[in-house]
């Protein structure tokens, strides 16, 4: 191929990728990332195209090296030696960025922030697609697979946001693919010198035009009639783990679950003390974009008893937990747990946060007993606690350098004059619960400030409306800005009290916790007492209560309802929590949707399976029509032979091809083959080249006889393969 041809093909590929990248706008916020992504794809195609234009080997390797160095130069320049040589720190930096990207994806609803990490992943992915496209352009049969690459890039945003991209995002790549198919066409017959026979190929060969346009039309035609599968996930969520699974940071998927509430029974528990919050995950590190959990560590500094100063009264509280429809690899436990018994499987304790997790099991069917500390510091002990902290708490004080001044200024205004960590935390809690803030699960989404990063918190303090993720994140960040260690716990509110049954013990109460009681709350560290939970979210009861031997007795914690601002409703009867009829209806709906999906997919697969044979049959009828030319009739003979696996090169001369076909037809048909050869050679090379000859009128009958004989003489297996997967479609024009 000429250099200009190489350039045109790569420009077409790049243009299609640029349009497909535009389809990711609903997934990624902003637009600058698009320039970056297209720029990296262009660099890769420029290098590989230059290597191929200069006939140099190693074009793909050069593209890979270029992509790696370009990505490192753009996203981790400090790790490069001499400005372009990767170092061991380059790998470390890239792994860290990939981990941060995973966190953002797990915690943000689309459109996610186009952070450095997210842009790196997107640019790297499109660079790989560019490399794959360049490689496929060099393969004669590779161009159809470029359509698969385009389809994948088209479907990713559609799956993520459950919204079909615009017509342009599909139409432009489809047109680019058809153009690349046209350019990949090869002549089927050549003369004795090897030059192309006949005139220049039409703009699109029949096979390319039919297959390509058929695929595009099929995509548009089937999209409206296929069943909607989005509700499948919603029904299944009733019995799944919600935001707690596989160690992924749960804080944003918590918001998604609150906006799609489920009344599935997560667990039940009995206790001889006040109903506790049930912690599942602890979030310590605030990156500025999100809160992140710490790695599970069973050998770190101890919490609980180790935090208590002498003189602080402590009782032991026993909680017996029975898991119902909750499936999670992280176990709900009250804080601070000092003993857990009755678990089945391997469970590891994280000493930071005193949470439990498993790499090999989950919570289904678990029944266990947790002993936790019921700390009872006096008001005097809380008020006189020192504001100096051990170095092990430094990570709980860290904040990004570019924290908005509005956040720290608000914290200083609200609680800066308070003395002591506990007093500062109380002032912050009262600020959020004073009535100036409203609870809303939808306002952050509608106002486009959902999440838990710095920009989101800044907007939240301005709008003063959000849900538990916003309130807990804001209070924790504001506490840290005042020099008070803070973190976020994610888990379940205490649940709803169950009326005691005849077998209940007088000193125990039973609670039900449903999936819609997911919650997030901050913990503040008070010297001599340890981590104390607070409740800044309006509509939820106050946090950790205290008893005061010196006179004052702060209000104790009560059972928390679902985190919403409305007043608590009457407790439903136990049999109303899960109506068997509703469960059966939901299961029937799932089965019906699955049947519809299977039928739709079956229809698509059937159409795709029959499409090649149908197109091939249409081409045969078109070529063998009476008004066609001898060249058309010959093309059908050659195509039939190729479909049946006759070992002959389609680019050889007519005479050489006839010599091969002679061995596959009956003796009486060889005369028809010889007459057809004579007509073709006289038409192409005789004194009346290209003119209609008198005996050409019988050439069609000869071609039909040869085609019929080839089909009749072939084994049954080859005939079936020729009907279903005709090989000639891949190359014939």
């Amino acid at each position: 191929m000429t250099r200009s041809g190489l350039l045109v093909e790569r420009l077409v590929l790049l243009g299609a990728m640029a349009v497909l990248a535009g389809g990711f706008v609903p997934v990624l916020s902003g637009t600058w990332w698009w320039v970056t992504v297209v720029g990296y794809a262009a660099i890769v195609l420029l290098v590989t195209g230059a290597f191929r234009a200069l006939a140099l080997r190693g074009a793909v390797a050069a593209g890979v090296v270029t992509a790696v160095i370009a990505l490192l130069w753009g996203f981790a320049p400090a790790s490069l030696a001499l400005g372009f040589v990767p170092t061991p720190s380059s790998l470390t930096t890239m792994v860290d960025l990939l981990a941060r990207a995973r966190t953002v994806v797990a915690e943000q609803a689309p459109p996610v922030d186009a952070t450095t990490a997210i842009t790196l992943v997107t640019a790297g992915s499109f660079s790989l697609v560019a490399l794959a496209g360049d490689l496929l352009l060099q393969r004669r049969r590779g161009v159809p697979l470029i359509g698969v690459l385009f389809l994948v890039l088209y479907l990713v945003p559609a799956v993520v946001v459950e919204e079909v991209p615009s017509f342009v995002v599909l139409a432009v790549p489809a047109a680019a693919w058809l153009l690349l198919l046209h350019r990949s066409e090869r002549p089927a017959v050549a003369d004795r010198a090897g030059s192309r026979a006949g005139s220049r190929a039409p703009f699109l060969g029949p096979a390319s035009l039919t297959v390509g346009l058929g695929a595009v039309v099929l995509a548009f035609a089937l999209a409206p009639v296929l069943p909607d599968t989005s509700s499948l996930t919603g029904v299944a969520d009733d019995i799944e783990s919600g935001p707690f699974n596989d160690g992924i940071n749960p804080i944003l998927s918590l918001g998604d679950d609150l906006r799609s509430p489920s009344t599935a029974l997560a667990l039940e528990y009995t206790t001889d003390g006040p109903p506790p919050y049930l912690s599942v995950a602890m979030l310590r590190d605030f990156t500025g974009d999100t809160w992140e959990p710490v790695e599970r560590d069973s050998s770190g500094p101890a919490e609980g008893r180790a935090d208590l100063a002498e003189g602080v009264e402590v009782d032991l509280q026993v909680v017996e937990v029975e898991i119902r429809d909750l499936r999670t690899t992280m176990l709900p436990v009250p804080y601070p747990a000092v003993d857990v018994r009755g678990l089945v499987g391997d469970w590891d304790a994280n000493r930071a946060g005193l949470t439990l997790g498993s790499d090999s099991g989950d919570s289904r069917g678990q029944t266990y007993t947790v002993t936790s500390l019921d700390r009872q510091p006096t008001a005097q002990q809380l008020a006189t606690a020192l504001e100096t902290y051990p170095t092990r708490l430094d990570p709980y004080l860290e904040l990004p350098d570019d924290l908005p001044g509005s956040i720290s200024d608000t914290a200083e205004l609200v609680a800066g004059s308070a003395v002591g960590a506990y007093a500062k935390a109380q002032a912050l809690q009262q600020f959020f619960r004073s009535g100036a803030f409203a609870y809303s699960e939808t306002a952050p989404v509608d106002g486009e400030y959902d999440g838990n990063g710095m920009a989101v918190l800044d907007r939240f303090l301005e709008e003063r409306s959000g849900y538990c993720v916003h309130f807990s994140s804001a209070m924790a960040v504001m506490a840290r800005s005042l020099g008070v260690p803070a973190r976020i716990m994610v888990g379940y509110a205490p649940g709803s009290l169950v009326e005691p049954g005849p077998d209940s013990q007088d000193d125990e109460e039973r609670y039900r916790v449903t999936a819609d009681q997911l919650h997030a709350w901050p913990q503040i560290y008070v010297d001599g007492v340890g981590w104390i939970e607070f409740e800044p979210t309006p509509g939820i009861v106050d946090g950790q209560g205290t008893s005061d031997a010196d006179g004052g007795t702060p209000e104790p914690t009560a059972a928390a309802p679902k985190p919403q601002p409305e007043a608590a409703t009457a407790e439903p009867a136990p049999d109303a929590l899960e109506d068997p009829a509703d469960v059966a209806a939901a299961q029937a709906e799932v089965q019906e949707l699955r049947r519809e999906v299977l039928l739709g997919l079956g229809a698509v697969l059937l159409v795709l399976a029959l499409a090649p044979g149908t197109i091939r049959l249409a081409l045969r009828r078109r070529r063998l029509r009476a008004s066609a030319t001898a060249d058309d009739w010959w093309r059908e003979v050659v195509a039939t032979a190729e479909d049946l696996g006759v070992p002959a090169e389609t680019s050889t001369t007519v005479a050489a091809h006839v010599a091969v076909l002679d061995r596959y037809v009956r003796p009486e048909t060889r005369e028809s083959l010889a007459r057809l050869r004579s007509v073709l050679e006289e038409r192409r090379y005789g004194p009346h080249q290209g003119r209609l000859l008198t005996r050409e009128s019988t050439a069609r009958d000869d071609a039909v006889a040869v085609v019929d004989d080839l089909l009749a003489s072939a084994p049954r297996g080859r005939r079936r393969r020729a009907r279903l997967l005709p090989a000639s479609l891949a190359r014939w024009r």
Side-chain angles (χ1 to χ4, degrees):
M1 182 177 292
T2 63
R3 294 180 180 179
S4 61
L6 289 168
L7 176 61
V8 168
E9 288 186 348
R10 277 145 190 83
L11 285 177
V12 170
L13 179 60
L14 179 63
M17 292 179 61
V19 174
L20 288 166
F24 282 72
V25 169
V27 180
L28 304 177
S29 62
T31 55
W32 184 249
W33 61 266
W34 181 89
V35 178
T36 304
V37 168
V38 175
Y40 277 99
I43 291 173
V44 170
L45 291 175
L46 176 64
V47 171
T48 56
F51 265 69
R52 299 194 189 283
L54 298 174
L56 299 176
R57 294 184 178 180
V60 174
V64 171
V65 172
T66 300
V68 170
I69 293 178
L71 289 170
L72 287 173
W73 183 83
F75 295 94
S79 67
L80 295 174
L82 303 178
F84 66 94
V85 179
T87 64
S89 64
S90 301
L91 178 61
T92 303
T93 303
M94 298 301 275
V95 170
D96 179 64
L97 286 172
L98 293 177
R100 287 167 58 183
R102 180 176 181 270
T103 300
V104 172
V105 171
E107 296 183 356
Q108 293 190 23
V112 302
D113 294 333
T115 61
T116 300
I118 291 294
T119 305
L120 166 65
V121 172
T122 310
S125 300
F126 271 76
S127 297
L128 287 176
V129 172
L131 283 168
D134 174 84
L135 185 62
L136 291 174
L137 284 174
Q138 297 303 116
R139 303 294 186 267
R140 183 174 180 183
R141 296 176 183 266
V143 174
L145 295 179
I146 292 180
V148 177
L149 292 179
F150 289 170
L151 182 62
V152 170
L153 292 179
Y154 174 78
L155 289 178
V156 168
V159 171
V160 171
V161 300
E162 297 181 357
E163 179 181 326
V164 178
S166 68
F167 173 81
V168 174
V169 178
L170 177 61
V172 173
W177 180 53
L178 292 175
L179 179 58
L180 292 175
L181 279 175
H182 158 65
R183 295 186 60 83
S184 69
E185 292 293 339
R186 297 292 186 269
V189 182
D191 60 17
R192 295 172 185 175
S195 60
R196 298 181 65 155
S199 59
R200 186 180 183 273
F203 181 72
L204 285 173
S208 299
L209 180 62
T210 308
V211 176
L213 290 178
V216 174
V217 171
L218 186 66
F220 282 106
L222 291 178
V225 300
L226 288 177
D228 180 16
T229 61
S230 60
S231 57
L232 284 173
T233 304
V235 175
D237 284 344
D238 287 351
I239 59 173
E240 291 297 329
S241 62
F244 310 118
N245 205 7
D246 299 330
I248 297 176
N249 188 347
I251 195 165
L252 185 92
S253 54
L254 171 62
D256 295 335
D257 280 281
L258 289 175
R259 284 185 289 272
S260 302
S262 166
T263 58
L265 182 60
L267 59 92
E268 293 182 292
Y269 68 89
T270 57
T271 180
D272 57 358
Y277 286 75
L278 299 174
S279 305
V280 177
M282 186 272 286
L283 310 179
R284 182 193 70 183
D285 299 330
F286 184 61
T287 65
D289 295 323
T290 186
W291 287 86
E292 296 180 347
V294 296
E295 294 292 334
R296 193 179 303 162
D297 183 7
S298 59
S299 61
E303 294 184 9
R305 292 186 185 277
D307 293 322
L308 294 173
E310 186 177 353
V312 176
E313 292 188 9
V314 179
D315 284 340
L316 294 179
Q317 180 176 355
V318 178
V319 179
E320 296 182 358
V321 183
E322 298 176 28
I323 300 295
R324 298 303 188 192
D325 293 331
L326 176 66
R327 185 179 69 184
T328 169
T329 59
M330 299 180 282
L331 211 61
V333 292
Y335 182 90
V338 293
D339 184 65
V340 182
R341 299 189 179 185
L343 288 173
V344 177
D346 296 328
W347 293 85
D348 299 322
N350 190 352
R351 302 189 76 176
L354 299 180
T355 56
L356 289 174
S358 175
D359 294 326
S360 57
D362 59 48
S363 61
R364 287 175 295 179
Q366 296 281 358
T367 299
Y368 52 97
T369 301
V370 184
T371 302
S372 61
L373 301 180
D374 180 14
R375 298 161 293 172
Q376 301 172 4
T378 65
Q380 180 65 25
Q381 289 169 330
L382 292 171
T384 58
L386 300 176
E387 290 190 76
T388 57
Y389 308 102
T391 56
R392 63 183 173 85
L393 295 179
D394 287 348
Y396 300 94
L397 290 166
E398 294 179 354
L399 288 171
D401 295 334
D402 55 346
L403 182 73
S406 59
I407 298 178
S408 55
D409 291 345
T410 303
E412 183 65 29
L413 179 65
V414 170
S417 60
V419 179
Y422 188 77
K424 287 182 171 64
Q426 280 190 315
L428 291 174
Q429 177 177 262
Q430 181 59 27
F431 169 66
F432 291 111
R433 297 176 63 88
S434 63
F437 286 79
Y439 182 94
S440 175
E441 295 163 2
T442 57
V445 177
D446 297 337
E448 298 182 351
Y449 61 93
D450 197 18
N452 54 94
M454 292 187 300
V456 169
L457 298 182
D458 188 20
R459 179 78 180 279
F460 164 68
L461 292 177
E462 178 183 347
E463 299 292 337
R464 300 200 168 196
S465 182
Y467 53 93
C468 58
V469 169
H470 301 88
F471 286 99
S472 58
S473 299
M475 181 169 172
V477 170
M478 293 169 72
R480 288 189 179 188
S481 72
L482 296 173
V484 178
R487 66 190 186 187
I488 294 177
M489 304 299 289
V490 183
Y492 289 92
S496 305
L497 180 64
V498 180
E499 292 296 331
D503 299 330
S504 300
Q505 301 183 23
D506 294 339
D507 59 343
E508 289 187 346
E509 292 182 323
R510 189 172 187 84
Y511 293 84
R512 274 191 170 93
V513 179
T514 53
D516 58 357
Q517 290 175 314
L518 295 164
H519 194 41
W521 62 93
Q523 284 187 334
I524 304 297
Y525 188 86
V526 178
D527 184 62
V529 181
W531 292 100
I532 300 177
E533 59 199 17
F534 284 80
E535 188 53 84
T537 305
I540 310 298
V541 296
D542 289 346
Q544 177 70 35
T546 63
S547 64
D548 192 343
D550 296 331
T553 304
E555 188 178 88
T557 301
K562 178 191 173 183
Q564 58 183 17
E566 293 79 3
T569 57
E571 176 68 17
D575 58 353
L577 290 174
E578 290 190 31
D579 190 340
D582 292 340
V583 174
Q587 292 175 345
E589 182 181 359
V590 171
Q591 294 299 326
E592 182 63 25
L593 284 171
R594 286 176 177 169
R595 282 194 293 269
E596 291 182 6
V597 170
L598 291 176
L599 288 175
L601 291 177
V604 173
L605 292 177
L606 180 61
V607 171
L608 293 177
L610 297 179
T614 303
I615 295 171
R616 181 66 183 87
L617 181 61
L619 285 175
R620 174 172 296 157
R621 291 178 177 176
R622 180 177 180 273
R623 289 167 179 159
L624 293 180
R625 68 188 189 278
S627 59
T629 65
D631 286 328
D632 293 325
W633 302 330
W634 174 248
R635 289 192 185 99
E636 180 53 38
V637 171
V638 175
T640 301
E642 184 177 4
D643 292 340
L644 295 171
V646 174
E649 289 292 333
T650 58
S651 59
T652 190
T653 62
V654 175
H657 215 137
V658 168
V660 174
L661 295 178
D662 269 340
R663 301 195 298 269
Y664 292 88
V665 296
R666 292 172 299 176
E668 55 268 28
T669 309
R670 291 172 185 168
E671 296 180 4
S672 298
L673 191 59
R675 288 195 297 270
L676 185 59
R677 168 191 168 182
S678 177
V679 169
L680 286 169
E681 289 180 341
E682 184 174 353
R683 174 182 174 84
R684 294 178 179 179
Y685 316 123
H688 306 286
Q689 294 182 22
R691 294 182 183 179
L692 181 63
L693 304 176
T694 303
R695 22 183 216 138
E696 190 169 329
S697 58
T698 62
R700 176 184 177 278
D701 295 334
D702 292 329
V704 171
V706 174
V707 168
D708 291 343
D709 196 11
L710 286 172
L711 291 172
S713 303
R716 181 180 301 176
R718 289 194 178 186
R719 290 202 303 271
R720 289 177 178 174
R721 185 181 64 184
R723 291 192 185 100
L724 295 176
L725 295 173
S728 61
L729 281 182
R731 70 175 71 194
W732 201 271
R733 59 181 176 88

